[in-house]
Amino acid sequence: MMFWRYAGRRLVQTVVTLFLLLTIMFVMFRLIPGDPTTMLLGTGELPPEAQQQLRAAWGLDRPMWEQYLSYLANLARGDLGLSLYFRRPVMEIVLPMLGNTLILMAPILVIALAVGIWAGAYLGWHRGERVEQIGSLIALLPRALPIFWIAILLLMLFSYRLGWFPIGGMREQFFYPETWIQALPGYDLVMHLTLPVIAGAIYFISDPLMITRTAMLEVRGEDYMQFARAQGLSNRRLRQIARRNAFLPVLTYIAIMVGFALGGQVLLEYVFSWPGMGRLMVNSVAQRDYPVAQATFFLMAAVVIVLNFIVDLLYGWLDPRIVYD
Amino acid sequence: MSSNALETELTRRRLLQFLGALGITSVSGATLAGLEATIREARAQAAPGSVMPKLQAMSPNWPDMIEIWRQATRDYAELGLEVEVQQGTLDTWVAQVVGEHKLPHLVSMSWGGAPDRMDPDFFLNEILNSKRAVKGGLNYGHYMNPAYDEVANAQRVEVDEAKRRQLVMEAQAISAKDNPLMVLFHRDIIQAYNKAKFGGVTPIIGNGIGFPYAPLSYLGLEALTPRKVVKITSIYDIASLNPFLTPEVYNSSVLRQIYATFVTRDKDANIMPWSLESWTLVDPTTMDLTLRPGQTFHDGKPVTVEDVKFTFDYILKWKFPALARVVDSVKSAEITGDNTVRLKLNQPYAAFVPNVLGFAFIAPKHVWEQVPGNSGLASPADWPNDQPVGSGPWKYVEWRKGEYLNLAAHKEFFMPPKLDGLVLLPVPAIENQIGMMERGEADLFGWTMDVTQGKRLGQNPDIEIVQTPTHGMHEIRFNLAMAPMDNPALRLALQHATDRKKYLDIIFSGAGTLANNTMITPVLKQWSNPDVPNPEPSIDKARQVLKDAGFTWDGNGKLKLPS
């Protein structure tokens, strides 16, 4: 029963965190000076009088608490409001971009996690050996390089120089296949996806790798591993035990990583002109498009929080030594 | 993991979540704190006779602006004057400077070549008229001169072109004497197209070959290969297909490919008939419009004077902020014949034809009279207008947000496009746009690049680089409401200390037109006043001006305020 009390408490915490998050988002974006109508002033096409009229029409002239209350009320009805910039429902703006981001980030995450965890466990197990010394060094390298730099290098080499892949975007307009390979379904998308996925995978691989490696090192020295070794278990079996025990911190990290992945990678998307969440987030902040900005940031943070909640519950199942009190 | 360790882990994670959520806003916060400090610093005034306080400047964080300040601070240092520059993103800059009029001593900006800025009224009135020295107005330098206002206002209502030209010249002469700002230069637009695939490219002043501002630039395009669709890059995407919604220049320019305006500009920036065949000013506040016969909307229905009247009535009824200039100037529209409509204006408006008839468009009555209907929308500006129906040279096919806008030729247009279609590709990074040109993924570079990029791209035998002058301008504005910038001698000295030619050569490899001491480019010969050249670039002259005004220098060569 301890578990259910714990789960209940964590659930309440999660809900409160989400609510606070909503509020902070609401306040933070409005703390930046200017609103969407101000942004239009900069072009000189909107006189100050017309600005006032727009603010009134969009409810931006009402006191902040009033805007906040109506925001919450709408939210309770599942209505995220109209984008101030696009004048379309927020979800209509966010969902396609979220889809594009998932197409980009899902393969990156799968590759980075699969390769990272596997390689991390391998290196951790072979602590002190030459392969570990060299491997760790190589593994740290991409972490030290900014993602846009990796991306630009790949672009320069494979797009500009060799011409193997397109420069950017997600699809080519008026794509006419010329060979049977090009006629394969999804060929165009895959061609556009290859470089950004490689860049992302290279960049993202270090974290799970290093975390798994460290966790492996810790686990290796534990008493139960000594005991297992003394029992004469096979090397393969020992590694299995170690891997399972080393998985906890990695799991926590995955929860955070998935959240950030949903937010897209601004620089990656910028370099490859990928129409995704990252670009949407930056643009919506720059345009002071509060409803869209709030929705995108909230979505990203909410995924992190909810996944963490799930991971916390999973902890006990994965590691029976954890006691809930 | 013990429960204690678990707690620690949870706290740490919560902090991470929090920081992650605030990631972008905290960056903006830092910039803002910087801007605030800059203004506080600027307000700290020095007593007469003491060393001049550091001049504080604010600038958007664009490479060319940063480079301008790098040169300027070096030049001003020779006067014993220190300048400290704070950079911000464009949106913070606009919110602070334009929205709030919170600015330090100096502010730099560049103004693009939007079509309505071809008429002198925009620069003369929006930027320097004292009535625009209110929050949100572009006279954020707080230039207040009743004599100037009088002339600037007079040219706005003078419908006799010769007389108006006189007033425009006079307004420039007055502001040049007062030096409320430094106009540096008018940077050329540098664009490119694939000459192996397309011909008939016509550069247009202020528009070049690839901005959608002027519809003529796409109409002459001819395909040299079987593909009769041109792919044009841009850094922006549009926000909406609703022509009543946004005053944003790029968006409305694109929509005016679909929705034909009443008049437009030809390649030399002269006004030319478009949906109208002709227009006559009956008296200063009455104008007769004659519709070009035989036009059709994209759904096949004819364009009639009913649609013209409906459009004006509709705009006046809903008072769309995006069409504020129409709302401000037009009183009513009446049908006077099969092809004629009579407009009554609120007051005479010299720029009415280019800036109202060149911006307003004909909306089909049969579509918009049902909007918003019972949709529950507050205004037709909120209508998505997913299938826009206009009467312009291009008709809508498909828009995929962030990816492309696909338009097809409207062959029934009186000046039909030679191509079958055009595709606008939003590509936020200039380097990618150049790459796409190089690889043949795009045919026309629809933004502007710098000379070195142009030289590199021009090495490709298929690519032609086109350089076009524009009326857009780079400026440094003085905040006249803040000491010591209210001292005319100091402003004049800074003018002398600014070597515009050097800046243009260094930053843009000389690709541009040097400005006169007026915002109107010499390229627009009919409006620019040639008698107001910029003060000669000379540090000695600058020193002399300061000396004559009672400024002195201390032992270390630092400038001291007059006592």
Side-chain angles (χ1 to χ4, degrees):
Chain A
M1 272 306 96
M2 281 306 225
F3 173 76
W4 291 113
R5 265 184 57 196
Y6 170 78
R9 211 178 67 208
R10 280 290 288 120
L11 182 66
V12 173
Q13 274 176 357
T14 303
V15 172
V16 170
T17 315
L18 286 174
F19 179 75
L20 283 178
L21 190 75
L22 270 182
T23 311
I24 292 170
M25 297 283 171
F26 187 90
V27 177
M28 284 305 284
F29 288 122
R30 280 158 184 81
L31 281 183
I32 323 174
D35 59 42
T37 61
T38 318
M39 297 306 115
L40 292 171
L41 284 176
T43 69
E45 310 303 311
L46 190 72
E49 304 81 39
Q51 183 203 16
Q52 281 314 319
Q53 197 194 330
L54 261 189
R55 296 177 73 142
W58 293 352
L60 293 165
D61 56 345
R62 291 184 298 156
M64 215 184 6
W65 62 267
E66 226 180 282
Q67 293 184 44
Y68 178 62
L69 287 184
S70 69
Y71 170 64
L72 286 186
N74 287 336
L75 204 62
R77 279 186 270 117
D79 174 9
L80 284 165
L82 282 186
S83 154
L84 297 171
Y85 181 71
F86 295 102
R87 299 309 289 166
R88 301 292 289 260
V90 168
M91 283 328 272
E92 222 177 274
I93 309 293
V94 173
L95 285 181
M97 296 296 158
L98 183 64
N100 294 349
T101 285
L102 286 179
I103 292 177
L104 174 66
M105 293 310 288
I108 291 180
L109 281 190
V110 170
I111 295 172
L113 286 172
V115 179
I117 292 172
W118 177 83
Y122 182 83
L123 292 182
W125 192 254
H126 293 274
R127 170 72 168 165
E129 294 170 26
R130 166 149 272 162
V131 60
E132 193 255 356
Q133 284 164 350
I134 298 172
S136 299
L137 204 69
I138 296 174
L140 269 179
L141 211 63
R143 193 73 184 92
L145 308 173
I147 190 165
F148 65 88
W149 194 76
I150 303 175
I152 288 172
L153 277 191
L154 288 176
L155 258 187
M156 266 172 54
L157 187 60
F158 295 106
S159 285
Y160 287 84
R161 275 285 152 77
L162 299 170
W164 293 354
F165 297 100
I167 301 284
M170 200 171 149
R171 271 172 274 256
E172 189 178 338
Q173 271 55 71
F174 310 104
F175 175 72
Y176 298 115
E178 282 162 14
T179 60
W180 67 270
I181 300 179
Q182 293 181 356
L184 292 176
Y187 170 83
D188 185 39
L189 182 66
V190 169
M191 290 304 277
H192 282 86
L193 205 53
T194 308
L195 288 185
V197 164
I198 294 175
I202 291 178
Y203 180 77
F204 277 102
I205 207 165
S206 306
D207 279 356
L209 193 154
M210 294 315 279
I211 289 173
T212 315
R213 177 180 155 275
T214 316
M216 255 335 232
L217 288 182
E218 273 174 30
V219 169
R220 244 169 65 118
E222 295 279 348
D223 293 345
Y224 58 78
M225 288 306 293
Q226 296 278 17
F227 179 67
R229 215 167 280 133
Q231 276 182 316
L233 293 181
S234 72
N235 208 14
R236 200 167 143 251
R237 181 84 188 100
L238 283 176
R239 232 201 273 192
Q240 256 173 20
I241 298 175
R243 262 211 302 266
R244 179 168 172 189
N245 280 287
F247 192 61
L248 279 189
V250 184
L251 191 66
T252 308
Y253 178 74
I254 292 175
I256 295 175
M257 200 164 155
V258 170
F260 281 106
L262 277 190
Q265 283 296 318
V266 180
L267 295 171
L268 193 62
E269 288 178 4
Y270 181 81
V271 173
F272 289 104
S273 304
W274 193 268
M277 287 284 278
R279 248 164 80 183
L280 182 66
M281 273 169 143
V282 173
N283 287 343
S284 59
V285 173
Q287 287 145 353
R288 306 288 187 273
D289 193 348
Y290 304 138
V292 174
Q294 277 160 212
T296 52
F297 279 79
F298 182 74
L299 187 72
M300 179 170 104
V303 171
V304 176
I305 292 172
V306 170
L307 285 181
N308 265 294
F309 170 65
I310 296 171
V311 166
D312 276 348
L313 298 188
L314 279 179
Y315 263 26
W317 176 68
L318 286 170
D319 187 351
R321 288 170 301 165
I322 290 178
V323 184
Y324 298 107
D325 52 10
Chain B
M1 207 183 279
S2 72
S3 68
N4 238 350
L6 184 67
E7 271 310 314
T8 325
E9 175 71 4
L10 284 177
T11 324
R12 190 185 60 82
R13 243 183 299 141
R14 237 175 259 136
L15 181 70
L16 277 180
Q17 289 158 8
F18 185 73
L19 289 180
L22 300 185
I24 280 189
T25 46
S26 64
V27 172
S28 276
T31 316
L32 267 190
L35 296 182
E36 289 286 339
T38 302
I39 289 167
R40 256 203 316 279
E41 196 74 33
R43 290 220 179 96
Q45 288 183 24
S50 64
V51 169
M52 176 102 132
K54 263 188 205 166
L55 287 187
Q56 302 290 326
M58 204 184 275
S59 164
N61 56 359
W62 304 332
D64 51 337
M65 289 283 168
I66 295 166
E67 196 52 49
I68 284 174
W69 281 113
R70 209 199 304 273
Q71 300 300 328
T73 46
R74 212 174 288 160
D75 287 347
Y76 302 160
E78 286 191 45
L79 292 180
L81 198 67
E82 254 188 288
V83 183
E84 208 169 64
V85 186
Q86 167 76 36
Q87 304 165 19
T89 52
L90 178 65
D91 51 304
T92 9
W93 190 97
V94 170
Q96 286 272 127
V97 174
V98 183
E100 292 298 318
H101 279 209
K102 269 174 148 177
L103 64 160
H105 300 117
L106 303 162
V107 162
S108 64
M109 194 35 164
S110 72
W111 300 93
D116 56 343
R117 294 174 193 169
M118 292 258 178
D119 189 276
D121 188 59
F122 174 82
F123 285 124
L124 293 184
N125 265 320
E126 294 297 326
I127 289 190
L128 292 181
N129 197 316
S130 63
K131 72 168 188 275
R132 282 295 182 234
V134 292
K135 281 183 185 177
L138 294 181
N139 184 2
Y140 40 78
H142 289 257
Y143 173 56
M144 308 276 201
N145 182 346
Y148 173 88
D149 288 352
E150 200 179 303
V151 181
N153 289 333
Q155 66 76 30
R156 166 172 269 209
V157 293
E158 180 52 67
V159 289
D160 180 303
E161 197 159 319
K163 282 187 196 156
R164 183 179 180 217
R165 188 169 300 138
Q166 271 312 307
L167 292 165
V168 169
M169 299 290 160
E170 202 180 319
Q172 294 174 70
I174 298 176
S175 74
K177 221 162 60 202
D178 292 338
N179 289 318
L181 80 168
M182 289 196 281
V183 189
L184 302 174
F185 37 73
H186 309 274
R187 178 193 179 183
D188 284 351
I189 306 170
I190 302 179
Q191 296 171 315
Y193 71 96
N194 191 321
K195 64 181 169 196
K197 290 184 185 155
F198 290 91
V201 172
T202 319
I204 296 175
I205 288 181
N207 176 93
I209 58 170
F211 290 119
Y213 300 162
L216 272 189
S217 51
Y218 298 146
L219 292 187
L221 285 181
E222 283 169 320
L224 305 176
T225 64
R227 174 157 64 81
K228 286 178 174 267
V229 173
V230 65
K231 299 188 218 176
I232 305 163
T233 62
S234 163
I235 60 168
Y236 292 133
D237 191 10
I238 53 169
S240 170
L241 292 167
N242 187 322
F244 296 105
L245 171 62
T246 172
E248 195 275 312
V249 185
Y250 183 77
N251 202 114
S252 39
S253 300
V254 171
L255 289 187
R256 272 150 193 70
Q257 305 291 335
I258 301 173
Y259 290 91
T261 52
F262 292 95
V263 304
T264 190
R265 297 240 187 210
D266 67 13
K267 68 181 173 43
D268 301 316
N270 300 314
I271 296 160
M272 76 176 266
W274 202 236
S275 288
L276 293 184
E277 196 171 57
S278 64
W279 56 94
T280 348
L281 199 62
V282 181
D283 65 58
T285 56
T286 310
M287 182 170 276
D288 281 346
L289 313 180
T290 309
L291 193 62
R292 183 187 298 278
Q295 300 179 80
T296 55
F297 286 110
H298 299 153
D299 60 1
K301 298 227 166 65
V303 180
T304 67
V305 281
E306 288 283 342
D307 297 299
V308 176
K309 177 178 161 49
F310 168 80
T311 305
F312 281 108
D313 289 348
Y314 202 61
I315 295 170
L316 294 177
K317 177 184 173 198
W318 290 99
K319 295 198 171 19
F320 299 110
L323 292 152
R325 288 208 184 108
V326 184
V327 180
D328 287 348
S329 51
V330 177
K331 192 193 273 170
S332 63
E334 287 317 319
I335 295 172
T336 46
D338 287 350
N339 266 331
T340 51
V341 172
R342 172 163 287 191
L343 292 183
K344 280 283 180 194
L345 310 186
N346 290 319
Q347 66 273 318
Y349 181 18
F352 183 79
V353 176
N355 286 5
V356 177
L357 295 183
F359 190 71
F361 48 88
I362 304 179
K365 182 181 178 188
H366 60 276
V367 173
W368 288 92
E369 66 186 349
Q370 297 154 32
V371 182
N374 47 13
S375 62
L377 294 174
S379 155
D382 288 346
W383 182 254
N385 196 30
D386 281 328
Q387 293 295 328
V389 175
S391 60
W394 304 94
K395 50 190 178 191
Y396 174 81
V397 180
E398 191 194 7
W399 175 35
R400 210 187 261 264
K401 255 189 217 83
E403 292 192 58
Y404 58 86
L405 174 71
N406 194 352
L407 302 176
H410 177 44
K411 295 287 187 191
E412 289 76 41
F413 193 70
F414 82 96
M415 199 188 260
K418 294 180 178 156
L419 297 179
D420 288 344
L422 49 95
V423 181
L424 297 171
L425 304 167
V427 180
I430 298 280
E431 296 74 23
N432 279 5
Q433 292 189 29
I434 293 174
M436 290 169 78
M437 288 297 302
E438 223 151 34
R439 296 265 326 259
E441 288 171 32
D443 310 308
L444 214 156
F445 183 93
W447 209 248
T448 181
M449 58 184 120
D450 57 43
V451 175
T452 42
Q453 289 168 327
K455 280 207 179 110
R456 209 192 68 216
L457 186 56
Q459 287 169 358
N460 185 324
D462 289 347
I463 305 277
E464 180 79 29
I465 304 291
V466 182
Q467 191 169 329
T468 324
T470 172
H471 52 292
M473 60 134 182
H474 277 69
E475 60 147 342
I476 293 177
R477 193 84 64 95
F478 303 124
N479 183 356
L480 272 62
M482 188 180 276
M485 297 321 298
D486 52 358
N487 187 326
L490 177 62
R491 298 201 299 270
L492 180 58
L494 287 176
Q495 291 268 26
H496 279 298
T498 307
D499 189 345
R500 293 159 173 82
K501 175 142 180 17
K502 185 176 82 182
Y503 296 6
L504 183 65
D505 285 346
I506 291 176
I507 303 166
F508 296 119
S509 310
T513 311
L514 279 181
N516 284 341
N517 194 0
T518 162
M519 295 159 289
I520 296 159
T521 173
V523 172
L524 294 177
K525 290 190 184 68
Q526 67 273 42
W527 297 120
S528 169
N529 188 339
D531 301 330
V532 290
N534 277 306
E536 183 198 337
S538 155
I539 297 289
D540 292 339
K541 284 232 165 88
R543 284 179 159 271
Q544 193 58 48
V545 167
L546 290 172
K547 207 185 271 174
D548 293 346
F551 285 85
T552 51
W553 284 267
D554 71 4
N556 300 321
K558 295 236 186 277
L559 188 64
K560 283 163 71 180
L561 289 161
S563 37

